[in-house]
Amino acid sequence: TFECQPCPESNTCSSGGAPVPVSPISAQLLMRGYAMDRFTDDDLTVLAALMSAVSEEAVVTLDLVEMHTVCDESRTECMTLNSDKIARHVDADFRASRTSGRRSSDFGMYDRAAVSPSGRSQRSLLQETDPSNPACALPGVTVTLSVFVQVGRVQEVWDTIKQQAFLKDLEAKFQELLLQFDPTADTAVCLAIEVPDRYPKGMDGWVYNISDDGIQHLINCPRGSLVINTTVEEQ
């Protein structure tokens, strides 16, 4: 018989499978054309369409998209988001493959200043909005989120989300999915995305092994870390 164990930190365990190392790419998404009164615990339609669009365009499963907060542009009003609840609005049978509580407290939210190892704040890249889109002249809200990607795909996804084409595809996918959730919804929206200008720190080097009794054992750590073994004989 096997005993279920929590998925190790910094990993995803899809469908109860072996742990796969993931690394977060954090961003904040400016959605012009929406006001805070459009976001409530009872109406998750817009957020569900956005989460699903990010999932599809970044080519990650739904549970690897973490939504933290939505705020007005002046950040005088904010709402903390429950990613699992939003995901269940997309898929009623949704089941998270990572640790309960997602990971917002572990990796931090984007609205905290991004700080480099030297202590200096990092600059960010804000993609230009489309001047031909009337919604770009409207007020909006900012959604902070993280996308957890397999360590081997971090560079690929990092390069992709910084491209203007990604933003246009995300905008189109969001509008398509929003109409699927609510055929009467107003799809006028203008998106801009802001990400740290430094390559995200990966989780390379975390290696787990599943024993015959189904328990996940950490057998290797990244450079600069130390594996603490359970017995003197294994030291």
Side-chain angles (χ1 to χ4, degrees):
T1 61
F2 290 92
E3 178 184 354
C4 291
Q5 298 289 326
C7 190
E9 287 297 318
S10 308
N11 283 250
T12 179
C13 302
S14 297
S15 301
V20 177
V22 291
S23 184
I25 298 177
S26 297
Q28 58 182 6
L29 194 66
L30 175 62
M31 302 180 67
R32 294 196 180 277
Y34 287 91
M36 284 297 294
D37 59 6
R38 188 65 177 82
F39 302 89
T40 67
D41 286 334
D42 297 325
D43 187 357
L44 299 174
T45 303
V46 173
L47 292 170
L50 181 62
M51 174 182 276
S52 189
V54 172
S55 170
E56 291 193 28
E57 294 302 318
V59 196
V60 297
T61 55
L62 199 63
D63 66 324
L64 296 182
V65 179
E66 179 100 7
M67 307 188 81
H68 304 305
T69 61
V70 56
C71 302
D72 61 7
E73 285 191 78
S74 65
R75 307 189 78 78
T76 57
E77 181 183 358
C78 290
M79 173 183 172
T80 301
L81 303 177
N82 183 324
S83 290
D84 289 343
K85 186 175 181 180
I86 297 170
R88 283 191 290 271
H89 191 84
V90 178
D91 179 5
D93 297 324
F94 168 81
R95 186 178 62 141
S97 66
R98 293 185 292 121
T99 305
S100 177
R102 315 284 280 189
R103 298 232 173 146
S104 57
S105 61
D106 293 279
F107 291 103
M109 296 192 304
Y110 186 86
D111 56 351
R112 299 172 184 170
V115 179
S116 67
S118 65
R120 293 190 295 269
S121 294
Q122 300 177 20
R123 291 178 296 112
S124 298
L125 303 172
L126 180 61
Q127 294 179 334
E128 295 181 359
T129 54
D130 184 357
S132 65
N133 183 349
C136 292
L138 299 175
V141 298
T142 299
V143 178
T144 59
L145 56 86
S146 296
V147 178
F148 293 80
V149 298
Q150 292 186 20
V151 168
R153 293 190 60 235
V154 172
Q155 182 69 64
E156 171 196 342
V157 176
W158 175 251
D159 291 338
T160 298
I161 64 176
K162 293 190 295 182
Q163 303 301 316
Q164 189 71 22
F166 173 82
L167 191 66
K168 298 305 296 180
D169 290 344
L170 180 64
E171 192 174 277
K173 178 60 67 174
F174 167 75
Q175 292 170 323
E176 173 191 334
L177 293 171
L178 182 61
L179 287 176
Q180 290 181 18
F181 286 118
D182 181 4
T184 65
D186 182 359
T187 59
V189 67
C190 174
L191 299 181
I193 192 169
E194 189 175 6
V195 295
D197 66 347
R198 290 176 180 261
Y199 181 80
K201 182 179 179 181
M203 303 305 295
D204 305 87
W206 294 99
V207 180
Y208 290 85
N209 184 39
I210 300 181
S211 60
D212 292 338
D213 56 3
I215 298 178
Q216 299 150 350
H217 298 278
L218 178 67
I219 60 174
N220 200 12
C221 296
R223 183 177 180 179
S225 300
L226 175 67
V227 176
I228 304 299
N229 298 298
T230 57
T231 65
V232 174
E233 289 75 19
E234 294 177 353
Q235 295 288 347

